[in-house]
Structures are given as structure tokens and as C-alpha cells.
Amino acid sequence: MASTTLTDAQVRALDPRKSARDIRDAELKGFGVRVMPSGAKRWFVHCQHEGRRIWKIVGDAAAMDADEARARAAAMLAWIRQEGPFPALPADTVFEAVAEATFRRHQRIWKPGTLKVNRGFLRKQLLPHFSGRQIAEIARQDVVNWFASLRATPVAADRSMPVLSVIMREAERMGFREEGTNPCLGIRRYRRRGRERFLTDAEIRSLAARLDAREGDWPLAVAAIRLLLLTGARKSEILTLRWTDFREGALFLRDGKAGPRTVWLSRAARDVLDGIERTSSWTFPAGRGDGPRDGTRLHIRWHHIRAEAGLGDVRLHDLRHVYASVALKSGESVPAIARLLGHRSAETTLKYTHHCDAMAAEAAATVGAILGER
């Protein structure tokens, strides 16, 4: 780490690089400036107090000259050595302010549905515990204690932890935390029983019979359910299909969960698509307006169909699990199935290997024959 007597001219001359870098002041130990990849520069102090590392923002180098920053840093360091953590810090470094800045930035990265879900975790699980805390003061033990407090709701705990980790990583990027201090790293998630549900031969036959019976009443809902089972695609991927996405015997998804991808179609799946009336640019158009159908009506139809078929605990998403397990039992490789499902990593697909049993093997022999080969 570079060290020099910091002056305004020197700080202005510092060019940003691909990652943040710190330049220490040779005159005042524990004082320095951080240069962000964006070009922003922030004065900071970094020292030890009672065996604990303390890293704090002094101010923005664009609004505070070197002499003022050094004087303020000296006062902060003196306070820390005598009294502990320095209380007066910029308002934009409290947890909720950094969290909001993180969400604003990730509006361009997260899909709308992901953004909405993550805001829910922020509001319900994170803000009640961390609101008002300085982002740089949140230590690993604080996160461990918070995570333990959510033991009764392990799903919420496990899903809000990555949101907290993103906020902490963004705090480092913005210069509000020392680099490499994400307190979420390495904390083990709760072990939960798998929620995946597979269908027996009898259940698939029952489902097929009810889909046939309801096809005249709810043609689009039945077609969507068949496609979910025959492609392993996600519900959002099927409901947002455009007819232009269907060509050359495959679906070319523009915006799947993991980005653009291709869904290869069996003859049975192509027959389902060929049987849908083309009344809109959307394969499954909304009842009103020009847009795709949302999942509310499909879930209502599915609840009726699964009840009639005696599948009270089966979710639409479980049809994706059935597709994956059938493919594994049929001898397909994990990397190949990862591509079929649109997983970023084959490691995600490995979880299905723990749930493949005799019922999935039976399903492999019946899915195409019962639902597709007419």
C-alpha cells in the first residue's frame, strides 16, 4: 500500500483503477485517501482499538482539502484511542442509506421480480435489526447474532443473507467499509428439508386426465402447464413468451432468469405451441391490455386442477423438478441438464441428484406418452 505525505495536488492527480486503492499519509499514521474505480476519493482513518480494527470515512476529498481532512482525522484517531469508536459520521454511511443506494444501483441489474422480493427482505428482515447502525461498524458477530435471531424462519434468513451481503459489498465499493471485510462471508446457512416434490406414474396419469378434461375450459392455462412439464422452464419464462421466440424448433428466450438462453423442445412441446391460437404477439396474452399474462390466474387454475387430480401439495415449480429428475434418470449428464434448465452453474443442478428415486424413473416413461404423444 502506497504511503506519501498527502497534499491536495497529489490527491487530484491520483487516477482511478479497476479496483479501489488506498494511499496512506506518511505524516499522520492511520490516515489516508481511498480512490474508487468511479474516480471518487474519500479520506479515511484506519486503526486498532482494544484488538479491533476500526475503519471510518473522514469525508469526501472533493469537499474537504487535505489539511482539513488531516486535522479531522487526527481528532478522530485521538478520540478512538481514548474513548472508542468516533460517534460523528456522515449520514450517508448509516445502513439504511447504503442499502437504498445499493438498491438504486441494482435496479439496472436485478429483474423487477427479484428487486421486489429483495426489498421485502430488506424491509422485514434487515432494517428492523440494522437500521441506524453505521455500515462500517457492523461486524461479523453482529451478522451472526442477526442470523441466529431468524432461526424460527430459516427460509427468510437464508434468502435475506445474500441481500445483506450485496449491501456490504456495495459499501466496500463506495468506500464506506474497508475492502475485504464483508461480515456475511462464510456464515453457514440453515439446513432445510428439500421442498422438491416428484410425481408418481399414477399422479402423472391423474394430472394428464384432468388437463385433458379442463382443456376446453382453460386452454391457455392447460397449455402453459403442459409446457412447464415438458420443458422444465420457469413459470416466468413461459408466461412471457412471444411468438417470435419460437422458431427452428426451440424457444430463444431473450431474458431468462440467468439471461438469454435457448430451450430445446421435444415434439410434444412443439405440438402444444402449435395448438395455441395466435391472437397476440404474446403466446400467453393478458386478458386486458397489450402485455403478457401474469401468474395469478394460472395459479388459480392450477389449484383447481391439482385438487381434482389429487395433487394437493404440488406446486407449479415442482414440474421443473420432475423434468430435471426424469432427465437424470434417463441418463443425461448434469452439465447437459444445467443447460436445459438455464442454470448458471452445474452445481445448482446437482441438488436434483439427491431427489431422484423410483417415482421419477416411472415418470420418465410416462411424461411424453401421456402428455405429449397424441
Side-chain angles (χ1 to χ4, degrees), residues 142-268:
D142 298 318
V143 175
V144 169
N145 293 342
W146 160 76
F147 200 57
S149 73
L150 298 177
R151 185 177 290 108
T153 54
V155 174
D158 284 352
R159 296 190 66 185
S160 53
M161 175 68 85
V163 179
L164 179 59
S165 184
V166 169
I167 293 170
M168 292 299 176
R169 190 170 66 242
E170 190 68 10
E172 291 183 21
R173 189 193 70 81
M174 293 189 293
F176 295 153
R177 284 183 66 92
E178 185 182 3
E179 278 194 306
T181 62
N182 189 334
C184 301
L185 298 180
I187 295 179
R188 296 182 64 180
R189 309 296 170 84
Y190 289 104
R191 290 188 176 184
R192 309 189 307 274
R193 291 184 59 188
R195 176 61 181 85
E196 290 81 3
R197 170 73 156 82
F198 300 99
L199 303 182
T200 65
D201 177 80
E203 286 174 330
I204 286 187
R205 290 185 182 279
S206 179
L207 174 58
R210 296 320 305 162
L211 289 173
D212 286 343
R214 285 296 189 179
E215 188 168 15
D217 301 323
W218 308 320
L220 287 180
V222 169
I225 292 167
R226 285 185 171 134
L227 284 175
L228 289 172
L229 186 55
L230 291 167
T231 65
R234 300 174 178 90
K235 180 189 68 178
S236 60
E237 293 171 338
I238 293 299
L239 291 183
T240 57
L241 279 178
R242 295 177 184 267
W243 284 115
T244 53
D245 300 332
F246 175 34
R247 58 188 186 276
E248 302 172 16
L251 299 177
F252 295 88
L253 303 182
R254 318 155 189 238
D255 195 25
K257 182 177 180 180
R261 74 181 184 96
T262 301
V263 176
W264 290 271
L265 300 176
S266 65
R267 172 64 182 273

Side-chain angles (χ1 to χ4, degrees), residues 36-184:
M36 307 303 298
S38 63
K41 298 164 186 176
R42 296 188 176 93
W43 306 109
F44 69 86
V45 293
H46 183 198
C47 64
Q48 294 272 344
H49 177 72
E50 296 180 350
R52 179 183 177 189
R53 289 194 306 177
I54 296 177
W55 192 94
K56 292 183 179 295
I57 291 290
V58 176
D60 192 325
M64 184 181 299
D65 64 30
D67 290 339
E68 180 184 356
R70 188 178 287 104
R72 179 174 172 80
M76 291 175 69
L77 290 166
W79 178 286
I80 291 168
R81 291 177 183 122
Q82 294 175 16
E83 307 291 341
F86 192 78
L89 288 164
D92 62 353
T93 62
V94 295
F95 177 82
E96 57 268 35
V98 177
E100 187 57 36
T102 300
F103 273 71
R104 284 198 303 271
R105 181 169 186 263
H106 280 69
Q107 284 178 343
R108 305 188 302 272
I109 302 171
W110 289 335
K111 295 183 183 299
T114 302
L115 186 67
K116 181 178 179 180
V117 168
N118 287 349
R119 275 205 176 275
F121 289 127
L122 174 66
R123 183 178 68 257
K124 296 175 183 179
Q125 275 76 38
L126 298 176
L127 289 178
H129 193 90
F130 295 110
S131 185
R133 300 278 304 275
Q134 286 293 328
I135 197 78
E137 293 300 313
I138 297 174
R140 181 180 178 80
Q141 190 58 49
D142 298 318
V143 175
V144 169
N145 293 342
W146 160 76
F147 200 57
S149 73
L150 298 177
R151 185 177 290 108
T153 54
V155 174
D158 284 352
R159 296 190 66 185
S160 53
M161 175 68 85
V163 179
L164 179 59
S165 184
V166 169
I167 293 170
M168 292 299 176
R169 190 170 66 242
E170 190 68 10
E172 291 183 21
R173 189 193 70 81
M174 293 189 293
F176 295 153
R177 284 183 66 92
E178 185 182 3
E179 278 194 306
T181 62
N182 189 334
C184 301

Side-chain angles (χ1 to χ4, degrees), residues 203-356:
E203 286 174 330
I204 286 187
R205 290 185 182 279
S206 179
L207 174 58
R210 296 320 305 162
L211 289 173
D212 286 343
R214 285 296 189 179
E215 188 168 15
D217 301 323
W218 308 320
L220 287 180
V222 169
I225 292 167
R226 285 185 171 134
L227 284 175
L228 289 172
L229 186 55
L230 291 167
T231 65
R234 300 174 178 90
K235 180 189 68 178
S236 60
E237 293 171 338
I238 293 299
L239 291 183
T240 57
L241 279 178
R242 295 177 184 267
W243 284 115
T244 53
D245 300 332
F246 175 34
R247 58 188 186 276
E248 302 172 16
L251 299 177
F252 295 88
L253 303 182
R254 318 155 189 238
D255 195 25
K257 182 177 180 180
R261 74 181 184 96
T262 301
V263 176
W264 290 271
L265 300 176
S266 65
R267 172 64 182 273
R270 294 197 299 271
D271 287 346
V272 171
L273 285 163
D274 288 338
I276 299 174
E277 185 178 359
R278 301 195 181 198
T279 60
S280 166
S281 61
W282 301 97
T283 308
F284 298 98
R288 296 180 181 177
D290 181 22
R293 179 166 301 208
D294 66 25
T296 304
R297 182 174 296 182
L298 179 60
H299 275 289
I300 293 172
R301 303 295 189 237
W302 171 248
H303 288 165
H304 281 291
I305 290 170
R306 75 177 187 181
E308 293 170 354
L311 308 176
D313 63 338
V314 178
R315 306 166 302 168
L316 281 171
H317 192 72
D318 290 325
L319 302 183
R320 178 172 164 86
H321 301 152
V322 172
Y323 178 85
S325 63
V326 166
L328 280 167
K329 280 292 185 180
S330 299
E332 297 295 336
S333 68
V334 169
I337 296 170
R339 290 200 66 191
L340 287 172
L341 295 176
H343 288 159
R344 287 191 179 94
S345 168
E347 292 181 6
T348 306
T349 315
L350 286 173
K351 70 177 182 179
Y352 295 110
T353 64
H354 303 299
H355 300 284
C356 294

